[in-house]
Amino acid sequence: MELQIGNIYSGFKFESETEIDEINSKGRVFKHVKSGAVLINLKNEDDNKVFSITFKTIPEDNTGVAHILEHSVLCGSRKFKVKEPFVEILKGSLNTYLNAATYADKTMYPVASRNKKDFMNLMDVYLDAVFYPDIYTPEIIMQEGWHYAIENEEDDIEYNGVVYNEMKGAYSSPISILSRSMDEELFKGSVYGLSSGGKVENIVDLSYDKALNFHKKYYHPSNSIIYVYGDIDIKEVLTFINDNYLKDFQKKNIDTKIQIKSPLSKIEEKEIEYSISEGESERDKTYFGMSFVTGDVLDRETSMGLELLEEILLEASSSPLKRAIIEKNIGKDVFGIFDDSILKTTFSIILKDSNDEDKEEFKKIVKSTLENLVQNGIDKKLIKGILNAKEFALREASFDSYPAGLVYNEKILESMLYGGDPFQNLRFNSLIKNIRKYAEENYFEELIEKHILNNNYGVFITVKPRKNLEEEKEAEVREKLRRFKESLKEDELKKILDDNIKLKLRQDTPDSEEDLMSIPLISISDVNKKPEKIENEIRDENGVKVIWCPLNTRGIQYVTVYFEGKTIPEEMIPYASILSSVIGRIDTEKYNFKDLSNEAMENLGGMEFGLDVYSKPQNYDEYLPKFVVRSKCLKEKLPKMFELMEEIINHSIYSDYKRLKEIIDEIKSRLEMAIRGSGSSIASVRVGSYVSSAYKYLDIITGIDFYKFISDLSKNFEDKKEEIAENIKKSAECVFRKENLVVAYAAEKEDYREFKGLLNDFVSNINKDRLELVDYKFELKKLNEAFVMATKVQYVAKGFNFKKFNFKHSGALIVLRTIANYDYLWNNVRVKGGAYGASMSLSRNGHLVFTSYRDPNLTETFKIYDQIGDFVKNFNANSREMDKYILGTISGIDMPLSNYSKCEKVSAQYLTGINDAYMEKERLEILNCSVNDIKNTYDMLNKLSREDCICVFGNEEKIKRNKDRFDNIVTIFKE
């Protein structure tokens, strides 16, 4: 029976319903009469159901109270008394997404699952967490926020806490500092001028009472937006939410109005410093950001126009403002940010790796370039290409492992939170149509004039390097804490010691059997015994293997071409990696690189190039390097796609030295940003390179070896430019051959015939000469390195290859990974150690590595890694607990996949020799995993501890204090 507008269902008044054709959904609005809660329902056929509850949370200072509460409310509640319900459901549910997030003015708690029973369970846990949390236990705020850490009376006092360490890491990055500073200056005196995540120096000012009061004020149904998405019976959901939660609340008036001060009357300027290590050069380390407030987020048409303008000016190879800045050689990388996630939208232009003396030149180039565009117009072909690319992305709606329902949830909040139509951001047909029409005139030129050139509501921020700034700040903190300890009376110090004892007792005390039983659990019988089958067929087309995936792609064609990588000589491997960044962004015989960019955007949904490594599980050192071309387009554009691909791979011109230098500098700049922001992934690859040829190859093309290589090319480009161009060209000649060519294709069944003809034409133009395959003989050596960066935290890695020592991969090891991630490492590295994160990663070819993320510790974390053998030796779990670990493992395997990702998965299995029987066997090993299977990993983990292969990225003082652990200490960004 259809719901009737105006009727009340389980306390919810059904207020409105509308069709949203763009996402094949019905948008419904409900209002809970008694409590004042609003519920938005997107009804559709998507089986990946999403639930969230969001509160408007308005910070009053920089203590990060909203962020700390986001963590803390998930540490036990009225119905679910365990210390970490969040972790218990990570262990034991079939969730496809589970997280929480703090934004500038809201806090969001989203979950997703394809299983209905699991979905209802997750909703129950999250609702109980936000409305009835155990935060009245002070140790929770201490653990998740901050506390004075001291174990013995004679010890120094330190600060510790998960959010405290998370934000120490976040504000080590100059880009984060710049981004935060722009908002601070633009919105000084308002909520957006504050850091909702918390500034390190202010987090320690948050009192326990203030945290509790913040929760009491904002975590009420009257201040909530509940969201339900997918193929779920909404009446059942409404009944559950009302009967279990909302019926117990009365409507309440909560002041969440956001006040924005008067606009700035002139562009404000500010300089800020960030820390670099003693061994780093200050040269090419300055960042500039200019940012403008551009209007109200509810003006959807203008917001979409400005979003497109940012891409037109700064994101494409042919973008005029990007070209003007880069060609003046005043920085290594430039990009833009259009932010429409808060009440007032902002448009920012950021220049990386520049120098202070180039500041005025940067301003001048921006101004003159934009004035010229206003006067003479923007290239209409570029505009058309950007519009086509945007429309393609909106219609494709492919978000990989990120649930589509969650993306739509965020879009709803970005209008509804400020009083707008909940569904306005989901409708784009008329918007794109109107902007296409406006673009025929001077629409984008007028946006430039109004929102940038004639807009004084803006700031210009300079972020400059300063050696050892971090060490100075840390010394100040230590001195502050030393004085604080000296000022304490005996009873005050005793209280701090007692508080730490209570915290440790809570952390060390296992949850009771009764409390663990409170966490809802689905049955193992609800899990499919066999992996989800992706329809595919392997065909041979004139000697080319085609992986054919007939899927309902709604007219989109996905074509991926895998070229043989072992034709590349060993010394040329890093040049092939550069080739993957260069090709498609340089001139060809038919197009200059700007026209090529426009042509690709106008006709395709994207074309990307990469050098990838596929490891075979049968042998720890057997792997396949492949140079991969990934492309997608609408069916009618398939001939053009093959035409462009053939032009790019056969007719690219590698001798434009100026363009090569630009791209090499950009590669270096972005790799530096990745190392600073996420050293754990780089450290994981580096550890693998000590013991595995596959990971050595990865290090050469993406890791530290590659960073050293690209830094040398950037520094010595003028002396080496001819050699560089020639070697990139040679690597292309080695790669682009018919030999061992594999092509993956996903589309509708009836599309294959046309594809086959086009593929044969394409292959006929590929070099058919054979090259001998290279058997790489890398020298593998355990280096045990520490890489010094100007950061307040560490990224600590330890690993080895267990197949090298004749240990076997199995489904039990995948379950062990779940146990390690959500039990052993979570409790010891995150909860007790204060790190933001820690994980065990595992590959079928035997690579196992532990990493920590934004970790205040170093040797303590290594000790935890080394003791995991003892943990599994003494491991015990009842059948219910084992079921949880198994369910948590399966949830990570059964993530819903986009059409593109399905084809990628099938292709990876084909290339690595993994068949259906292998996957079924592995899945059964997971489903049948026992306590003894986990205990039997002891010998392997004990061997890991003795091998002692380690790598750390982190704080200079911390590393030097533990120098005996390392064979080699390197200042990573040393010039």
Side-chain angles (χ1 to χ4, degrees):
M1 180 178 166
E2 285 292 316
L3 301 180
Q4 299 297 314
I5 293 172
N7 284 1
I8 293 177
Y9 300 92
S10 300
F12 285 90
K13 184 178 181 183
F14 184 20
E15 296 199 326
S16 66
E17 181 176 77
T18 183
E19 294 286 344
I20 309 171
D21 295 335
E22 288 86 341
I23 60 169
N24 299 313
S25 300
K26 285 183 179 179
R28 297 161 164 176
V29 179
F30 296 86
K31 185 76 174 279
H32 193 258
V33 178
K34 183 179 180 185
S35 71
V38 177
L39 187 145
I40 303 297
N41 172 222
L42 282 184
K43 176 68 176 174
N44 53 51
E45 299 306 311
D46 193 343
D47 73 337
N48 194 17
K49 296 168 274 290
V50 178
F51 164 84
S52 79
I53 183 164
T54 301
F55 301 94
K56 200 169 183 180
T57 47
I58 312 298
E60 298 170 2
D61 51 36
N62 289 313
T63 58
V65 58
H67 188 188
I68 291 168
L69 276 175
E70 174 232 306
H71 283 240
S72 299
V73 301
L74 296 171
C75 292
S77 65
R78 173 191 62 173
K79 287 168 66 173
F80 309 110
K81 290 292 186 183
V82 295
K83 292 177 292 182
E84 305 266 5
F86 177 77
V87 179
E88 293 303 319
I89 54 178
L90 274 173
K91 286 181 199 172
S93 88
L94 293 177
N95 75 84
T96 55
Y97 189 86
L98 184 78
N99 211 338
T102 303
Y103 298 80
D105 54 12
K106 61 183 177 284
T107 307
M108 183 182 187
Y109 296 89
V111 294
S113 180
R114 302 170 77 180
N115 180 286
K116 179 195 165 186
K117 183 179 176 183
D118 190 47
F119 176 79
M120 299 296 286
N121 289 344
L122 293 170
M123 183 168 62
D124 193 15
V125 172
Y126 263 41
L127 285 169
D128 206 64
V130 297
F131 290 130
Y132 301 105
D134 272 348
I135 53 172
Y136 295 91
T137 303
E139 291 77 38
I140 291 174
I141 304 293
M142 288 173 63
Q143 173 183 290
E144 297 300 316
W146 76 278
H147 63 277
Y148 293 116
I150 181 171
E151 289 189 7
N152 303 298
E153 192 172 325
E154 63 275 13
D155 294 346
D156 292 335
I157 292 178
E158 296 179 340
Y159 292 126
N160 204 355
V162 174
V163 169
Y164 179 78
N165 291 315
E166 178 187 350
M167 300 314 293
K168 278 174 78 173
Y171 284 123
S172 292
S173 159
I175 283 291
S176 296
I177 293 168
L178 174 60
S179 179
R180 181 64 250 158
S181 299
M182 290 191 297
D183 282 348
E184 281 180 0
E185 295 305 309
L186 282 173
F187 300 111
K188 194 178 290 185
S190 79
V191 57
Y192 300 131
L194 300 169
S195 172
S196 60
K199 298 183 85 171
V200 177
E201 61 270 27
N202 301 122
I203 287 172
V204 296
D205 295 328
L206 178 66
S207 70
Y208 176 54
D209 287 343
K210 188 164 186 178
L212 297 184
N213 290 335
F214 194 90
H215 181 270
K216 287 174 185 174
K217 178 175 181 179
Y218 292 111
Y219 280 64
H220 187 279
S222 297
N223 186 41
S224 72
I225 297 172
I226 299 170
Y227 172 81
V228 180
Y229 167 93
D231 65 340
I232 188 80
D233 181 352
I234 191 61
K235 287 202 287 188
E236 185 179 346
V237 172
L238 297 177
T239 299
F240 178 86
I241 294 174
N242 174 73
D243 293 355
N244 290 276
Y245 293 98
L246 298 189
K247 69 179 177 57
D248 298 323
F249 290 88
Q250 294 290 341
K251 196 180 297 184
K252 181 178 175 183
N253 289 323
I254 301 167
D255 182 13
T256 57
K257 189 173 182 182
I258 295 171
Q259 301 284 352
I260 303 289
K261 284 201 165 185
S262 300
L264 299 173
S265 56
K266 66 181 181 66
I267 306 294
E268 298 283 350
E269 293 204 21
K270 186 174 183 179
E271 286 192 356
I272 299 167
E273 294 177 321
Y274 75 98
S275 185
I276 60 172
S277 299
E278 178 63 39
E280 289 187 62
S281 165
E282 289 102 336
R283 194 73 194 154
D284 296 339
K285 295 282 173 66
T286 295
Y287 292 65
F288 299 121
M290 55 176 69
S291 186
F292 303 88
V293 175
T294 46
D296 195 295
V297 72
L298 296 180
D299 182 353
R300 184 61 188 144
E301 192 170 86
T302 302
S303 291
M304 174 69 87
L306 288 164
E307 183 181 339
L308 290 162
L309 178 65
E310 186 275 317
E311 295 182 26
I312 290 166
L313 293 178
L314 291 156
E315 299 305 327
S317 292
S318 53
S319 292
L321 184 54
K322 183 184 184 82
R323 297 298 326 134
I325 294 167
I326 292 298
E327 286 174 1
K328 288 292 185 180
N329 196 30
I330 59 168
K332 308 301 184 194
D333 192 14
V334 62
F335 60 92
I337 300 172
F338 177 70
D339 184 2
D340 60 353
S341 66
I342 59 177
L343 178 60
K344 296 295 181 182
T345 62
T346 58
F347 190 107
S348 305
I349 303 163
I350 294 169
L351 179 62
K352 290 174 57 198
D353 302 328
S354 187
N355 294 286
D356 195 38
E357 63 266 24
D358 294 320
K359 177 162 59 176
E360 295 307 317
E361 180 69 6
F362 174 49
K363 293 180 188 175
K364 179 181 170 185
I365 294 167
V366 171
K367 186 172 186 291
S368 62
T369 303
L370 295 181
E371 286 175 342
N372 181 58
L373 290 172
V374 169
Q375 184 173 348
N376 298 312
I378 302 169
D379 182 354
K380 297 296 184 187
K381 195 170 180 66
L382 169 61
I383 292 173
K384 185 179 179 183
I386 293 288
L387 276 163
N388 285 351
K390 183 66 175 178
E391 186 170 10
F392 186 99
L394 288 168
R395 294 196 185 286
E396 184 186 26
S398 176
F399 311 108
D400 293 321
S401 60
Y402 203 67
L406 185 53
V407 175
Y408 301 146
N409 188 183
E410 290 170 344
K411 291 297 179 188
I412 285 169
L413 291 171
E414 285 164 10
S415 59
M416 188 177 180
L417 206 67
Y418 312 110
D421 171 6
F423 309 115
Q424 71 172 44
N425 292 345
L426 302 180
R427 297 188 176 96
F428 55 82
N429 285 339
S430 60
L431 209 56
I432 292 285
K433 183 179 178 182
N434 287 343
I435 291 176
R436 280 191 188 281
K437 184 174 69 176
Y438 303 154
E440 294 172 7
E441 303 300 326
N442 296 317
Y443 176 66
F444 289 105
E445 291 82 355
E446 288 168 2
L447 288 179
I448 291 172
E449 196 165 28
K450 177 179 179 181
H451 294 286
I452 304 177
L453 289 175
N454 296 334
N455 185 2
N456 286 325
Y457 194 173
V459 294
F460 188 98
I461 306 292
T462 303
V463 180
K464 299 166 65 173
R466 181 173 147 197
K467 291 187 178 184
N468 298 322
L469 177 61
E470 207 50 67
E471 284 68 22
E472 292 173 21
K473 288 183 177 179
E474 286 294 304
E476 289 174 7
V477 170
R478 285 196 300 272
E479 177 59 20
K480 175 185 173 182
L481 288 171
R482 186 192 66 78
R483 291 196 306 268
F484 169 72
K485 186 182 178 186
E486 284 182 353
S487 73
L488 292 173
K489 296 174 183 175
E490 185 177 341
D491 61 328
E492 291 172 328
L493 178 58
K494 185 177 184 305
K495 184 180 185 310
I496 292 173
L497 287 163
D498 288 345
D499 287 345
N500 276 270
I501 290 169
K502 289 177 187 175
L503 174 59
K504 192 171 188 306
L505 180 64
R506 183 180 194 275
Q507 294 169 340
D508 289 339
T509 303
D511 292 312
S512 71
E513 192 73 26
E514 182 183 357
D515 288 343
L516 287 168
M517 289 291 290
S518 71
I519 299 295
L521 194 66
I522 65 169
S523 171
I524 291 288
S525 62
D526 292 331
V527 177
N528 291 329
K529 296 297 182 287
K530 291 194 173 184
E532 188 173 353
K533 181 80 172 168
I534 300 170
E535 186 180 354
N536 72 92
E537 182 183 338
I538 307 301
R539 297 186 175 184
D540 190 303
E541 302 291 355
N542 297 323
V544 173
K545 292 296 182 190
V546 175
I547 304 164
W548 162 226
C549 296
L551 299 168
N552 178 18
T553 61
R554 293 176 295 181
I556 295 174
Q557 315 275 295
Y558 297 94
V559 179
T560 304
V561 183
Y562 299 88
F563 291 96
E564 177 59 66
K566 285 203 169 182
T567 50
I568 306 165
E570 186 173 325
E571 68 276 8
M572 300 290 290
I573 293 171
Y575 285 104
S577 182
I578 296 174
L579 173 67
S580 70
S581 295
V582 165
I583 195 164
R585 301 173 63 197
I586 53 176
D587 295 350
T588 68
E589 290 176 8
K590 187 175 180 180
Y591 302 100
N592 65 48
F593 73 86
K594 298 174 189 175
D595 291 338
L596 180 64
S597 173
N598 292 343
E599 197 76 14
M601 287 188 298
E602 186 175 345
N603 291 283
L604 310 180
M607 185 179 288
E608 298 175 352
F609 303 84
L611 184 57
D612 295 350
V613 180
Y614 295 87
S615 294
K616 292 201 166 189
Q618 296 83 355
N619 186 319
Y620 76 88
D621 239 13
E622 190 177 357
Y623 62 98
L624 301 174
K626 295 288 181 182
F627 196 97
V628 188
V629 185
R630 296 178 172 88
S631 56
K632 53 190 175 182
C633 65
L634 295 174
K635 180 181 177 180
E636 61 270 21
K637 297 292 187 179
L638 196 60
K640 187 68 175 180
M641 188 198 74
F642 275 112
E643 176 194 320
L644 287 172
M645 193 184 299
E646 192 273 332
E647 173 70 17
I648 289 168
I649 68 174
N650 281 339
H651 305 292
S652 287
I653 298 167
Y654 300 97
S655 55
D656 183 344
Y657 301 131
K658 190 172 187 298
R659 181 65 177 148
L660 285 182
K661 179 66 163 68
E662 291 171 4
I663 297 173
I664 285 170
D665 284 346
E666 180 185 279
I667 295 169
K668 176 177 179 282
S669 176
R670 296 196 175 183
L671 188 50
E672 283 181 356
M673 188 162 65
I675 293 169
R676 289 184 193 275
S678 184
S680 53
S681 58
I682 305 289
S684 176
V685 170
R686 189 65 172 179
V687 165
S689 75
Y690 302 162
V691 295
S692 161
S693 294
Y695 280 86
K696 181 66 177 176
Y697 192 102
L698 273 173
D699 197 49
I700 290 169
I701 64 171
T702 63
I704 292 299
D705 270 1
F706 184 66
Y707 177 70
K708 292 176 182 176
F709 178 80
I710 202 76
S711 296
D712 176 67
L713 295 194
S714 176
K715 184 177 181 181
N716 300 295
F717 185 84
E718 284 305 312
D719 296 333
K720 295 185 173 185
K721 61 186 179 185
E722 293 178 3
E723 174 190 345
I724 292 168
E726 184 61 25
N727 284 338
I728 296 173
K729 182 182 178 184
K730 282 181 182 176
S731 69
E733 291 169 352
C734 291
V735 163
F736 296 128
R737 295 171 178 270
K738 184 182 176 184
E739 187 173 1
N740 295 337
L741 188 64
V742 177
V743 178
Y745 177 55
E748 313 285 346
K749 282 187 178 181
E750 61 270 20
D751 296 338
Y752 189 85
R753 182 188 295 272
E754 182 184 2
F755 162 78
K756 177 180 174 180
L758 291 166
L759 175 66
N760 287 333
D761 291 343
F762 170 74
V763 172
S764 70
N765 291 312
I766 302 295
N767 189 339
K768 296 172 186 62
D769 295 340
R770 296 182 67 82
L771 281 179
E772 188 174 336
L773 301 187
V774 181
D775 183 17
Y776 303 120
K777 301 293 184 184
F778 299 126
E779 180 186 357
L780 302 181
K781 184 179 179 183
K782 185 168 68 174
L783 297 173
N784 287 359
E785 299 155 298
F787 294 95
V788 170
M789 303 189 300
T791 179
K792 304 171 186 176
V793 290
Q794 280 63 245
Y795 304 90
V796 181
K798 180 167 188 170
F800 81 143
N801 191 288
F802 56 84
K803 284 197 170 183
K804 197 170 184 177
F805 299 97
N806 298 316
F807 296 105
K808 293 182 179 179
H809 180 269
S810 69
L813 285 184
I814 306 175
V815 178
L816 172 66
R817 179 176 63 190
T818 302
I819 296 168
N821 286 346
Y822 301 131
D823 192 334
Y824 182 75
L825 294 175
W826 182 282
N827 289 333
N828 290 289
V829 179
R830 188 186 189 278
V831 171
K832 297 177 186 178
Y836 183 42
S839 67
M840 168 184 160
S841 62
L842 176 75
S843 60
R844 293 186 178 102
N845 73 333
H847 186 53
L848 185 154
V849 63
F850 297 110
T851 53
S852 66
Y853 184 71
R854 294 180 183 171
D855 188 347
N857 302 310
L858 196 155
T859 53
E860 298 89 343
T861 300
F862 281 133
K863 186 177 179 182
I864 291 163
Y865 295 163
D866 290 343
Q867 291 174 344
I868 192 171
D870 294 333
F871 168 77
V872 300
K873 188 177 183 178
N874 300 307
F875 177 76
N876 204 0
N878 60 32
S879 60
R880 189 176 190 275
E881 287 301 297
M882 279 307 299
D883 283 356
K884 280 165 62 175
Y885 292 129
I886 290 166
L887 288 166
T889 303
I890 290 293
S891 77
I893 293 170
D894 287 354
M895 289 288 182
L897 300 173
S898 66
N899 286 318
Y900 164 75
S901 296
K902 287 176 182 176
C903 194
E904 285 273 297
K905 182 177 180 178
V906 169
S907 301
Q909 289 178 357
Y910 170 78
L911 292 169
T912 56
I914 295 175
N915 56 24
D916 289 346
Y918 182 101
M919 296 301 294
E920 288 177 17
K921 177 178 178 290
E922 183 179 87
R923 190 178 184 90
L924 282 175
E925 288 171 348
I926 292 168
L927 291 171
N928 296 324
C929 182
S930 68
V931 169
N932 280 337
D933 291 330
I934 300 302
K935 284 178 175 285
N936 288 340
T937 65
Y938 169 77
D939 288 341
M940 184 193 74
L941 295 170
N942 195 39
K943 182 66 175 173
L944 164 70
S945 67
R946 295 201 305 272
E947 280 302 294
D948 205 37
C949 291
I950 62 174
C951 179
V952 171
F953 288 75
N955 176 271
E956 184 168 8
E957 182 185 359
K958 178 79 75 171
I959 285 171
K960 289 184 175 176
R961 211 186 308 155
N962 296 280
K963 62 184 179 182
D964 293 345
R965 287 302 308 258
F966 306 104
D967 299 329
N968 198 17
I969 296 176
V970 181
T971 300
I972 180 64
F973 300 125
K974 187 175 182 179
E975 296 298 327

